[in-house]
Amino acid sequence: MTKDEAIKKANEDLIGVYNRFPVVFSSGEGMYLFDNEGKRYLDFASGIGVNAFGYGDKEIAGEISSQLEKLVHVSNLYYTEPLIKAAAAVKEISGLDRVFFTNSGAEAVEGALKTAKRYYFNRTGKNDARIIAMNSSFHGRTMGSLSVTGTDSYRSPFYPLVDGVSFADFNDLSSVEKLIDKRTCAIIMETLQGEGGIHPATEAFLKGVRRLCDENDILLILDEIQCGMCRTGEFYTFQKYGVMPDILTTAKAIGLGLPAGAFLVTERVAENSLKPGDHGSTYGGNPLSTFAISLSIRLMKERKVREHVKELTPYFEEVLEEITKGSSIVKEHRGDGFIQGLLIDPSVKAGDIVSKALQEGLVLLTAEGNVVRMLPPLIAEKEDFDRMKEILSKLL
Ligand SMILES: *Cc1c(COP(=O)(O)O)cnc(C)c1O
């Protein structure tokens, strides 16, 4: 199939919910993707924060193949060793006590919300639980996760959503405080908002929300689906703040590109929430995905990914500072570790920059608020940041 044939066929057969870029990717090597015409692209998107180790890693391919040959699926009616090993591994890196494995981020958020409601129901015997979420947040596209997502354009065609959600402003503690009442069962937020425009939580905000939760027996749900798994230099971004969630959601980079996610809870929440029969998933926790989860965690430790991200972040930020200084249409750069954004002047669309960059062989993302978003694989080296700057500066 030529590129044009492939794109024509896809646009006839697929439900048109994505504005796909006109490129057909077929393989990858390290920091680079290749399309079906052999053109090379430097990847600063990681398949939206998934491909932490880049592409074509032989060790990963070999290990995954060995599990593929052994066992792929049996269902949650039985125990498997990959499941048990992955549970221990995610507990250890997160500091939480119990885990439920899912197939995606949105499914992890669904589970987190159900857990919070179940906890409230156990405590009060009432069915009037309310949830506080954040404006400009993103938690997924399913009805429950969409109900706590703060972007109106994603939500409004699908009303009525799950009831009982109110929205506060991220990094504005008094806006959260105002919404709390005795029916509030949970506050859900990203530790660093990704999709919503690359907004890290301030320390005062995160600590303040934690305090409000403690004072009112409210569960704090941190969604680290995008900012977790070493992206900001620790396994989870909350670990940099010295604040623990009651419930954590994780996905994207956790499964080496296989569909995988999880939500984790503290022992206190586990004891007082979901009971046998309350929740489930056919594929969630299958041997192949959980094998990939353990492998990604092992490799992140062995290959010192946290140290690498921490070491290279100042260079990445220096490069972004040079880009910002060198262009009148870049207003600022912001982010943490290997999740960074460039705020673009309203006279130019961030999406147009991303399209042009792709033509020039650089894969980027956008985020809400006219932001060019960068989520490079966590293996990126100085030369990759230099190359990104070279391509982008020319465009800007
Ligand atoms: C991507 C994302 C989700 C949704 O994950 P899916 O795997 O696409 O369902 C939820 N929360 C955050 C913060 C995300 O970045």
Side-chain angles (χ1 to χ4, degrees):
M1 248 191 276
T2 68
K3 175 174 141 179
D4 290 345
E5 282 165 5
I7 291 171
K8 183 167 175 286
K9 188 81 181 109
N11 291 341
E12 283 165 10
D13 293 351
L14 296 167
I15 294 178
V17 291
Y18 297 114
N19 287 315
R20 286 191 169 84
F21 293 100
V23 59
V24 184
F25 284 128
S26 56
S27 66
E29 189 66 56
M31 285 289 294
Y32 285 87
L33 277 163
F34 295 88
D35 70 14
N36 68 340
E37 296 173 329
K39 185 174 162 184
R40 195 170 89 127
Y41 300 80
L42 177 63
D43 180 33
F44 266 63
S46 305
I48 320 189
V50 171
N51 303 319
F53 296 98
Y55 302 91
D57 187 295
K58 294 281 183 293
E59 183 180 358
I60 293 173
E63 294 266 0
I64 299 278
S65 308
S66 71
Q67 182 59 39
L68 194 59
E69 286 174 16
K70 218 189 255 174
L71 192 64
V72 175
H73 177 79
V74 290
S75 102
N76 283 304
L77 298 173
Y78 317 99
Y79 299 96
T80 67
E81 277 184 14
L83 170 70
I84 296 160
K85 285 184 184 154
V90 281
K91 276 181 58 170
E92 197 255 323
I93 60 165
S94 66
L96 280 96
D97 302 315
R98 285 178 186 265
V99 57
F100 181 97
F101 289 108
T102 66
N103 306 288
S104 68
E107 193 190 346
V109 171
E110 294 290 334
L113 297 176
K114 278 181 73 176
T115 302
K117 288 201 168 179
R118 186 58 152 118
Y119 179 90
Y120 177 87
F121 181 73
N122 283 12
R123 178 159 68 79
T124 64
K126 290 188 180 154
N127 283 115
D128 60 353
R130 295 189 60 85
I131 294 164
I132 298 173
M134 299 297 147
N135 287 315
S136 73
S137 63
F138 183 83
H139 299 291
R141 303 294 201 149
T142 57
M143 293 306 275
S145 62
L146 190 59
S147 300
V148 291
T149 287
T151 302
D152 194 54
S153 61
Y154 294 166
R155 299 162 53 84
S156 51
F158 304 105
Y159 288 140
L161 296 173
V162 174
D163 206 10
V165 180
S166 30
F167 289 89
D169 290 327
F170 193 65
N171 281 338
D172 177 353
L173 193 62
S174 71
S175 77
V176 178
E177 202 160 7
K178 273 187 213 138
L179 295 176
I180 290 175
D181 69 25
K182 58 182 195 313
R183 297 168 303 168
T184 308
C185 73
I187 299 175
I188 181 166
M189 58 187 265
E190 295 146 273
T191 316
L192 183 158
Q193 290 189 330
E195 221 77 24
I198 315 295
H199 303 288
T202 63
E203 189 174 338
F205 183 65
L206 190 55
K207 289 194 161 149
V209 171
R210 179 68 268 179
R211 180 178 51 77
L212 290 174
C213 287
D214 290 339
E215 287 168 1
N216 296 285
D217 205 356
I218 294 167
L219 300 181
L220 174 58
I221 305 172
L222 289 181
D223 179 346
E224 296 224 7
I225 289 167
Q226 189 159 160
C227 66
M229 296 309 291
C230 302
R231 188 145 289 276
T232 66
E234 293 297 339
F235 272 105
Y236 291 101
T237 301
F238 70 77
Q239 290 162 341
K240 300 168 70 163
Y241 292 76
V243 168
M244 278 293 283
D246 302 293
I247 306 178
L248 172 70
T249 58
T250 180
K252 289 201 164 92
I254 205 171
L256 301 170
L258 277 88
F263 66 93
L264 291 105
V265 302
T266 61
E267 194 60 38
R268 178 176 72 95
V269 173
E271 279 167 12
N272 297 294
S273 59
L274 300 176
K275 298 279 174 292
D278 275 349
H279 198 56
S281 170
T282 297
Y283 291 124
N286 73 74
L288 187 62
S289 297
T290 48
F291 180 87
I293 289 172
S294 298
L295 181 60
S296 75
I297 293 169
R298 174 163 70 78
L299 292 179
M300 280 178 177
K301 287 180 181 170
E302 276 176 19
R303 299 183 185 180
K304 300 199 180 324
V305 170
R306 283 172 292 177
E307 292 80 351
H308 179 73
V309 169
K310 274 186 272 206
E311 196 186 312
L312 272 284
T313 295
Y315 192 77
F316 190 3
E317 289 179 338
E318 204 178 295
V319 165
L320 293 173
E321 178 66 17
E322 286 164 17
I323 292 171
T324 306
K325 280 211 179 109
S327 167
S328 59
I329 63 167
V330 181
K331 293 291 149 203
E332 65 169 38
H333 63 92
R334 59 180 182 235
D336 191 359
F338 280 19
I339 175 166
Q340 297 280 346
L342 297 174
L343 178 65
I344 305 299
D345 186 85
S347 64
V348 179
K349 282 200 190 113
D352 291 343
I353 295 173
V354 173
S355 292
K356 288 232 170 67
L358 191 69
Q359 285 166 23
E360 299 299 320
L362 172 65
V363 187
L364 298 168
L365 297 164
T366 57
E368 288 295 310
N370 215 34
V371 168
V372 170
R373 177 172 40 146
M374 298 186 187
L375 299 170
L378 305 182
I379 57 169
E381 296 287 353
K382 282 185 178 176
E383 67 208 41
D384 301 310
F385 296 117
D386 292 344
R387 180 86 189 112
M388 175 272 287
K389 183 187 146 196
E390 208 176 296
I391 298 174
L392 202 51
S393 299
K394 204 167 63 183
L395 272 177
L396 292 168

